[in-house]
Amino acid sequence: MCGIVGYIGSKKAKPILINGLLRLEYRGYDSAGVATIEKNGISVVKNKGRVAELEKLSAIDSLEGTIGIAHTRWATHGKPSTENSHPHVNGKKDFAVVHNGIIENYNELREFLLKQGYTFYSQTDTEVIPNLIDYYFSKDDKDDDKKVLRAVVSACSELKGSFALEILSTHLPDKMIVVRKDSPLVIGKTDTENYISSDIPAILSYTKDFYLLDDYEYVVLSKGSAEFYNSDLKPIKKQTVNIDWNASAAEKDGYDDFMLKEIHEQPKSIRETIGSRLSADGTCNIESLDFTKEYLNSLNKICIVACGTAMHAGLVGKTIFEKFCHIPTEVDIASEFRYRDPLINEKTLVVFITQSGETADTIAALKLSKQKGAKTLAISNVIGSSITREADYTIYTHAGPEIAVASTKAYTSQVVLISILAIYFAKLLEMKGKEIDALKDAILELPSKVEETLKCSKQIKCFAKKVYKEKDLFFLGRGIDYNVALEASLKLKEISYIHSDAYAAGELKHGPIALIEKDITVVSIMTDPNLVEKTISNVQEVITRGAKTLVITNQNLGDHKFDNIITIPETNPLISPILSVIPLQLLAYYISKEKGLDVDKPRNLAKSVTVE
Ligand code: F6R
């Protein structure tokens, strides 16, 4: 997905911009570009391909300016090409713009501007923006220092869709204007500089003090200051937020890939998620929540809404909410929920799970839930992300920055946090029982058990060598193990490009078993003592038909024989996904490595999906 970087200060902007773009590479992109303000006007250098291709252009060496904007583009409107890459300028080249998001009414605006004599050189939606700014700028008779800002505000009021914009103008040569609507943008500040980005990790090594922008807040940046205005051009006050992520957390720390590093970080990230929310003496508290027993008793249901891996974390949450809180709980895919007129009202609590906090469908589902009167609670990993500013309540996973596109540590932290949330609700509801206490104890033991589980790495690597050339793989499980099978299958698909499917083991004989033939690999997960025998029977059915098997388990399998068994530590079956997913994350990782693929940046995928 597109990424934005910007700099305004006393240093040469180019190296800072390139460094920021490199840190955004994980988001996925197909072209890159920069623009700086030079003595003789705006200079734009852009190219199709990776940032390394951009750096090869000789024009980039001549950029000396101390104010600059930069962009990595993930093509939506128009093919990946140099013409379509950002920054885009107007014909006179007195405005340059980079843009994340989608301008839905760009056709209309383009038609209008064509009639006014403007010319377009790209197929992008973005190119209307510098031209529209120019249009309003030229029409404005008043010549004062707010003229560019007025033109930007007028242009933005015409734009439908989502945008995060950085704007340079030769009419304002020592400033930059930025604004956002439904697309992330943050400003990192020091005493003498401002760094701008769509993603905090890209600029985290420069500062920890950030302005988090709300929709339609216009910011005029200069070397040491940031002035904020609303759409009526009235000044507004804005405080910085301190983001205490460690800059080295956004580096590879000696690992070959971010994904491998993030898999191995899970003991730490889970510890951070538990934090002081759960302690050995049995207390359970979640900061910033003020729910009461009466409120929870009044609920008709809880809906958990998310996309992809985050939705899989929600599936685990459903079981725990229903078991311990006795509140009916549904799990929905955000892109389905938002268009199916869900039956929710003021008696519904809707929980949104999103690592990035920027997923367009999840945010839209939240807005819809609020319109319908439901209370909204966001579980996010990114402080100040868009969803956290929309939701009634936010709780953070505190897993640290997740850079690899394939989510690993964010998933396990989401499962941990939703389990703690269920315990917290159960406590408010005065539900008592040994099982709740047992779950608390099991959560506290997780960091060391994850450490133990990671020791299966070598065994998994050997297994990956055996199966990496296969065309199809199947994952089976029952109950909570089925939820993990879904996540394992998604992980494998996204980074190894091997087709895989996950089935509830009991469903096999209702259709999918027709796919089983000699030497096909079936991976099964067996962690629930109540269901292990049932799943074993299903796996026997595929063995009879010639399948090769890998079993992930912490149960006694008796005399049953399987080709490969990975034994993981025992834990409470409700949170077993946090352990059983680890060998399966590693399996996807090592298969991808065997195939020589780019693990961190799989094709066609983006880390945060900020468009529908
Ligand atoms: C898969 C993956 C995606 C995300 C999904 C939601 O590894 O990362 O499926 O889980 O795009 O993203 P967030 O959690 O940022 O809303």
Side-chain angles (χ1 to χ4, degrees):
M1 200 101 323
C2 307
I4 285 182
V5 188
Y7 173 75
I8 179 161
S10 307
K11 298 185 195 127
K12 211 161 127 173
K14 187 203 86 181
I16 295 166
L17 298 176
I18 295 289
N19 183 32
L21 290 184
L22 289 170
R23 284 167 192 268
L24 289 177
E25 279 198 311
Y26 71 93
R27 290 175 64 112
Y29 69 104
D30 43 54
S31 58
V34 299
T36 52
I37 298 200
E38 301 294 322
K39 286 200 184 80
N40 51 356
I42 294 174
S43 286
V44 178
V45 186
K46 52 192 191 175
N47 207 2
K48 187 181 159 192
R50 314 296 278 180
V51 176
E53 301 302 314
L54 179 71
E55 286 187 281
K56 282 184 199 154
L57 300 177
S58 57
I60 204 154
D61 298 329
S62 57
L63 300 182
E64 297 290 336
T66 57
I67 304 175
I69 58 181
H71 191 261
T72 46
R73 173 174 186 256
W74 194 73
T76 53
H77 295 68
K79 61 181 193 274
S81 70
T82 302
E83 303 75 60
N84 287 338
S85 52
H86 300 215
H88 286 282
V89 293
N90 60 323
K92 285 179 274 163
K93 222 176 156 181
D94 41 1
F95 296 101
V97 170
V98 299
H99 164 223
N100 275 8
I102 287 183
I103 305 304
E104 288 164 2
N105 58 336
Y106 84 101
N107 259 330
E108 230 171 86
L109 295 170
R110 197 178 162 112
E111 287 304 312
F112 168 77
L113 289 164
L114 282 169
K115 282 192 196 132
Q116 308 299 317
Y118 286 87
T119 310
F120 290 89
Y121 302 92
S122 78
Q123 298 138 358
T124 63
D125 52 341
T126 303
E127 203 182 358
V128 296
I129 303 172
N131 288 298
L132 200 58
I133 297 173
D134 178 53
Y135 169 78
Y136 282 110
F137 185 81
S138 321
K139 277 188 36 168
D140 190 341
D141 298 333
K142 210 160 134 201
D143 227 352
D144 60 7
D145 63 346
K146 296 273 181 329
K147 189 170 174 178
V148 176
L149 180 61
R150 278 196 302 276
V152 170
V153 172
S154 301
C156 289
S157 69
E158 299 273 349
L159 304 178
K160 295 207 174 97
S162 57
F163 51 85
L165 302 174
E166 286 179 330
I167 300 150
L168 295 183
S169 172
T170 51
H171 305 288
L172 218 52
D174 49 4
K175 298 202 172 17
M176 179 192 303
I177 297 181
V178 303
V179 60
R180 56 157 268 170
K181 191 224 156 209
D182 292 341
S183 193
L185 198 70
V186 295
I187 301 166
K189 95 174 249 309
T190 71
D191 288 342
T192 53
E193 301 157 305
N194 284 300
Y195 296 84
I196 306 95
S197 184
S198 48
D199 287 51
I200 292 169
I203 50 175
L204 200 55
S205 55
Y206 302 111
T207 179
K208 296 218 164 21
D209 294 323
F210 288 86
Y211 292 111
L212 307 173
L213 298 192
D214 287 321
D215 284 356
Y216 291 114
E217 284 181 347
Y218 295 85
V219 196
V220 181
L221 296 165
S222 42
K223 255 199 232 167
S225 78
E227 295 161 14
F228 295 82
Y229 298 90
N230 64 16
S231 303
D232 298 326
L233 291 173
K234 297 252 158 45
I236 41 181
K237 282 215 158 64
K238 199 86 189 159
Q239 299 294 329
T240 54
V241 174
N242 187 268
I243 308 273
D244 68 348
W245 278 355
N246 182 343
S248 77
E251 311 285 346
K252 281 189 197 157
D253 272 355
Y255 285 93
D256 285 349
D257 313 271
F258 280 112
M259 183 178 175
L260 190 62
K261 175 187 168 228
E262 287 158 9
I263 290 173
H264 281 88
E265 271 173 355
Q266 289 177 105
K268 179 167 175 269
S269 51
I270 290 171
R271 207 169 281 124
E272 298 286 326
T273 304
I274 299 171
S276 56
R277 290 160 172 161
L278 215 55
S279 36
D281 63 10
T283 50
C284 172
N285 263 308
I286 301 197
E287 71 288 351
S288 74
L289 297 189
D290 57 6
F291 295 149
T292 59
K293 180 179 178 187
E294 290 66 38
Y295 169 68
L296 292 177
N297 271 328
S298 75
L299 291 178
N300 53 13
K301 64 178 164 183
I302 295 175
C303 290
I304 303 177
V305 180
C307 299
T309 289
M311 191 277 288
H312 294 156
L315 293 172
V316 182
K318 169 185 163 73
T319 308
I320 310 183
F321 276 131
E322 291 194 337
K323 189 169 173 72
F324 288 163
C325 311
H326 302 174
I327 305 174
T329 305
E330 294 171 3
V331 182
D332 245 300
I333 297 167
S335 55
E336 293 292 317
F337 179 87
R338 65 181 288 199
Y339 291 117
R340 73 168 171 83
D341 195 14
L343 276 182
I344 54 171
N345 54 32
E346 56 292 340
K347 291 195 167 158
T348 315
L349 172 67
V350 192
V351 178
F352 298 88
I353 309 180
T354 165
Q355 187 283 130
S356 63
E358 303 294 348
T359 302
D361 282 318
T362 310
I363 292 172
L366 183 141
K367 288 181 179 165
L368 174 76
S369 306
K370 283 177 86 172
Q371 277 163 25
K372 286 180 175 271
K375 239 186 196 120
T376 57
L377 165 66
I379 295 184
S380 180
N381 193 37
V382 180
I383 295 169
S385 55
S386 299
I387 204 153
T388 67
R389 278 171 285 150
E390 299 279 348
D392 297 318
Y393 299 92
T394 297
I395 48 179
Y396 288 104
T397 39
H398 297 310
E402 189 178 67
I403 307 290
V405 165
S407 185
T408 53
K409 64 175 181 171
Y411 168 81
T412 45
S413 281
Q414 286 160 351
V415 177
V416 168
L417 189 48
I418 203 142
S419 312
I420 297 176
L421 187 65
I423 294 174
Y424 170 74
F425 282 2
K427 183 182 121 183
L428 286 179
L429 287 163
E430 294 173 19
M431 303 278 185
K432 296 215 162 54
K434 284 200 184 105
E435 280 186 277
I436 301 179
D437 292 336
L439 185 65
K440 274 189 216 165
D441 293 344
I443 293 175
L444 289 169
E445 285 170 1
L446 276 172
S448 61
K449 292 203 170 170
V450 170
E451 202 98 57
E452 185 68 28
T453 311
L454 282 164
K455 292 184 184 152
C456 70
S457 191
K458 261 198 187 138
Q459 229 185 321
I460 290 285
K461 194 172 174 180
C462 290
F463 182 74
K465 281 186 197 299
K466 289 197 251 175
V467 296
Y468 76 97
K469 288 190 181 147
E470 299 205 0
K471 294 266 180 295
D472 304 285
L473 246 92
F474 292 94
F475 292 89
L476 297 181
R478 281 174 180 258
I480 233 154
D481 292 331
Y482 169 52
N483 303 159
V484 177
L486 289 167
E487 172 57 9
S489 172
L490 174 66
K491 211 90 311 171
L492 184 71
K493 281 192 255 282
E494 60 180 327
I495 60 166
S496 77
Y497 316 149
I498 293 178
H499 167 260
S500 74
D501 268 324
Y503 292 107
E507 274 290 291
L508 260 193
K509 55 177 88 55
H510 299 288
I513 201 162
L515 294 169
I516 303 298
E517 53 190 34
K518 189 167 174 335
D519 289 338
I520 206 149
T521 298
V522 176
V523 180
S524 54
I525 305 124
M526 305 181 193
T527 65
D528 188 334
N530 296 321
L531 296 170
V532 62
E533 279 303 329
K534 300 272 176 212
T535 311
I536 288 176
S537 304
N538 299 127
V539 177
Q540 292 299 352
E541 288 159 12
V542 301
I543 292 174
T544 311
R545 286 157 182 85
K548 292 180 292 183
T549 52
L550 168 67
V551 175
I552 311 290
T553 190
N554 53 14
Q555 298 296 303
N556 180 355
L557 303 179
D559 294 335
H560 298 285
K561 294 277 177 291
F562 302 98
D563 301 311
N564 305 275
I565 299 177
I566 301 281
T567 306
I568 58 171
E570 268 192 68
T571 185
N572 188 308
L574 290 170
I575 49 164
S576 66
I578 294 161
L579 303 184
S580 58
V581 80
I582 288 170
L584 299 165
Q585 294 170 340
L586 288 164
L587 179 64
Y589 172 82
Y590 283 118
I591 290 181
S592 177
K593 287 303 269 186
E594 281 301 324
K595 293 182 77 169
L597 299 172
D598 188 340
V599 176
D600 287 337
K601 289 171 253 150
R603 69 183 180 203
N604 306 338
L605 290 176
K607 182 67 185 161
S608 83
V609 186
T610 49
V611 292
E612 189 179 337

